[in-house]
Amino acid sequence: MSETPESAPGQGAGRTPMRRRIVIAVAIGLAAATALGTAAALSAAAPKSDTAGQVGRSATSGADGSGAPIPGATPTGTPVAAASATPSPTSTAAVAVGKCGRPAGTAPAAKVTEVKVGVRVTGYGQEGDTDPLPMAIAARPDGGSWLAWLGTNGKVYLGKLDCDDKLVGTPTSFTGINLQDVQADASGGVVLLTRRGTCGDGPLCGGSSSPCNTMHMIRFDNSGKQVWERQVTNLSGSRQGYDDGARFIWWYQHHGRLASDGKTYAAYFGVAITVKNGNCVDIHEGDRMQVVNANGSLASGHRDSFEVGCSHSWTSRIVWDPRTKHYVMVCATDNACRIAQPDPYRSVAAGKCDGTLFGGDLVLAKSKGYWTAWSQGGKVRLEHFTTGASDKTVTTAASSSHPHLVSYGTGRMLLAWQSGSSMAAQVYDAGSGKAVGGKLTINVKDHNYQAFKAYPDGSVAYPAAGSGNTSIRIARVLPTR
C-alpha cells in the first residue's frame, strides 16, 4: 500500500497550508491510515528499529545498512580532528565576542546585507515542504559565516562570509538536487544535501513511481573543499528504493536539519520507508536520525539515533544539549496529530490534523529543558518541555503558519515570522517565556522553512532572497546588552 498524498503538502499561491494527511493506496481498493560542547556518549546497542504501534505504517526491522555508502560516496581524505566547541545557545554572550565582536545595543536592531554570489539561486517557489530549500547559513566560531545555496544547475554552493556578511574568496560547489542545512566548526563544517538515487523495479503494491533519492553529509575544510561524504539514507548498489528495508528520500516532506556535539554531527530528516507486502512493497513516510563521526563513519548504535522515529513526520527539528549530553528532537506528526518527541513517542503539545499544524524551531531553555515554536490555525505558540509533555505554553501575538525560533544572546530567544512582505520578530526570555521589549521589523522576505542561526557574539542571522536571482540578503539581528 504505497502512499500518495491527498493533495500536495505545500503552500498555495496564497501561502495557505494544504492538508498533510497521506492517503495509502492499496493494489486492491483503498484504505486510509493515520498513521557541539562535549562528546556524545556511545552505546553498544544495535541501531534501533521502528517503534511498534505507530499508526499509519508497518513497524519493520531487518538490516539497516545505513553504514553502506552508495558507489563513489565512500569517505575520502584523512580523518578530521575533533571540532572546537561552538558555544551552546544559552551560553552565547550578548557583548562583543570573538574576531567579529559586533557591538551590543540597548535594543535589538536589524542589519540587512546584500551578497552577490555570481550564480543563479533557486527561487522560493511555493515554499512548500516538498519544494527545494534555496539557502542556509551557519555561524563560524570566529563570528563569520558559511553561506550555502542551491543553484539552478544541480549544484549546492558554499561561500564564506566575513564579519560584515560580505563574501570572501571563491565559492565551492557540490553535486546536489536539494539543500537541507549547513553547520560550522573551527575546522570547517558540514552541509546536508540530497542527491539522485534509484528506485529499482519494485513492484509497488499501489500508487505510481516517484524519485528515490539519497541524503548526504558533506564534510568541508576551512577552504570550503570536501574532506569526506557520508550517505545517511541507506541505498547502495544492492539496495534500491523499492527494495524491502530501504530508507530513501521521496518527493514528499523530506527537509532535514543538522546539529553537532563538537565531535559528531547528527542529521534529522523526513524519510521514505519501504516495507515488503507479499509480492510487492509499500512505501510509508516517517523521519530518521543518523549520527556521523569526525572521520565520516556512521556512529552505529548511537543512543540518540534511530532508523525511524515519527510516523508521517514533517518539520523535523534537532538541537544538541550539552547539559544532558543528548541530541533532542521534535516533529509534527499526524500520529495523534501533535508536536512530539520521536523514538519513543512522547507528546509535547496536542494539535489537530486540519492542515494547519506546523512545527517551528527548537532551542535550549535557560536552565533546563527546551522551547519549541509551533503553529495551529495560524496562531503561534511557544512550548516549554523537558521530556515529553509541555509544562508551559505561551500564546504569542504572532499570526503565522511557519514561525522561526533561535537562541539570542544569554538567556533570551528570538521569535520571527512573516509580516506582509517583511518579517517581524519579538524577543522572549528563555526562562520564563515572557516577551522582552517591543516588536522588531526585519526587511527581508520570509521563507517557510529556512532557519535563523545563533552567533558567538549574541547576534543571529537569516538568509533570504536577494534583489535579483544571483544575490542573497543576510538579515542580522545585532546583539543586545
Side-chain angles (χ1 to χ4, degrees), residues 399-440:
S399 179
S400 174
S401 294
H402 299 278
H404 310 278
L405 188 66
V406 63
S407 294
Y408 179 54
T410 302
R412 293 180 178 180
M413 53 191 178
L414 185 76
L415 178 71
W417 62 96
Q418 179 194 357
S419 179
S421 60
S422 300
M423 300 178 74
Q426 175 69 60
V427 177
Y428 287 85
D429 187 280
S432 67
K434 294 181 179 180
V436 179
K439 286 199 302 183
L440 171 71

Side-chain angles (χ1 to χ4, degrees), residues 383-479:
E383 218 74 50
H384 180 273
F385 69 98
T386 301
T387 300
S390 167
D391 55 22
K392 181 178 289 187
T393 300
V394 177
T395 301
T396 76
S399 179
S400 174
S401 294
H402 299 278
H404 310 278
L405 188 66
V406 63
S407 294
Y408 179 54
T410 302
R412 293 180 178 180
M413 53 191 178
L414 185 76
L415 178 71
W417 62 96
Q418 179 194 357
S419 179
S421 60
S422 300
M423 300 178 74
Q426 175 69 60
V427 177
Y428 287 85
D429 187 280
S432 67
K434 294 181 179 180
V436 179
K439 286 199 302 183
L440 171 71
T441 297
I442 306 174
N443 289 314
V444 296
K445 184 180 179 181
D446 182 37
H447 186 283
N448 292 340
Y449 296 100
Q450 292 179 176
F452 281 82
K453 297 292 178 68
Y455 282 68
D457 60 7
S459 66
V460 301
Y462 180 85
S467 59
N469 58 20
T470 60
S471 66
I472 295 170
R473 285 177 172 157
I474 306 300
R476 182 173 298 278
V477 180
L478 299 170

Side-chain angles (χ1 to χ4, degrees), residues 253-451:
Q253 205 289 118
H254 54 263
H255 290 166
R257 294 284 179 91
L258 291 167
S260 179
D261 64 2
K263 292 186 178 180
T264 66
Y265 275 88
Y268 182 40
F269 55 95
V271 72
I273 306 155
T274 306
V275 181
K276 186 175 178 61
N277 183 5
N279 295 323
C280 53
V281 295
D282 297 327
I283 310 297
H284 305 278
E285 194 270 355
D287 57 34
R288 176 179 178 88
M289 198 281 253
Q290 297 286 277
V291 180
V292 176
N293 293 315
N295 62 2
S297 63
L298 278 170
S300 180
H302 192 283
R303 64 181 181 175
D304 298 326
S305 67
F306 46 80
E307 184 178 341
V308 176
C310 297
S311 174
H312 293 166
S313 171
W314 62 97
T315 52
S316 309
R317 304 293 184 248
I318 185 171
V319 68
W320 166 253
D321 189 348
R323 304 165 301 186
T324 65
K325 299 179 175 60
H326 277 283
Y327 288 107
V328 178
M329 290 146 280
V330 293
C331 71
T333 174
D334 69 0
N335 179 300
C337 304
R338 53 187 164 154
I339 304 298
Q341 289 188 266
D343 193 55
Y345 267 132
R346 288 149 291 168
S347 292
V348 174
K352 297 178 182 179
C353 283
D354 61 0
T356 71
L357 173 64
F358 298 96
D361 293 285
L362 178 66
V363 302
L364 302 186
K366 185 181 292 186
S367 55
K368 63 180 295 187
Y370 317 94
W371 287 97
T372 189
W374 66 288
S375 180
Q376 181 86 68
K379 194 69 177 177
V380 178
R381 288 95 161 164
L382 296 174
E383 218 74 50
H384 180 273
F385 69 98
T386 301
T387 300
S390 167
D391 55 22
K392 181 178 289 187
T393 300
V394 177
T395 301
T396 76
S399 179
S400 174
S401 294
H402 299 278
H404 310 278
L405 188 66
V406 63
S407 294
Y408 179 54
T410 302
R412 293 180 178 180
M413 53 191 178
L414 185 76
L415 178 71
W417 62 96
Q418 179 194 357
S419 179
S421 60
S422 300
M423 300 178 74
Q426 175 69 60
V427 177
Y428 287 85
D429 187 280
S432 67
K434 294 181 179 180
V436 179
K439 286 199 302 183
L440 171 71
T441 297
I442 306 174
N443 289 314
V444 296
K445 184 180 179 181
D446 182 37
H447 186 283
N448 292 340
Y449 296 100
Q450 292 179 176

Side-chain angles (χ1 to χ4, degrees), residues 136-214:
I137 198 167
R140 302 201 318 263
D142 65 1
S145 307
W146 285 106
L147 175 64
W149 67 93
L150 181 64
T152 59
N153 56 354
K155 292 183 180 296
V156 170
Y157 289 84
L158 181 72
K160 184 181 285 190
L161 304 183
D162 62 15
C163 296
D164 296 321
D165 295 322
K166 296 292 188 180
L167 188 65
V168 293
T170 303
T172 55
S173 65
F174 312 99
T175 299
I177 59 173
N178 204 344
L179 168 67
Q180 305 296 337
D181 198 7
V182 62
Q183 290 282 322
D185 55 55
S187 301
V190 166
V191 62
L192 184 67
L193 53 77
T194 306
R195 289 178 172 167
R196 299 196 184 279
T198 304
C199 288
D201 298 328
L204 295 174
C205 295
S208 59
S209 178
S210 294
C212 297
N213 297 322
T214 53

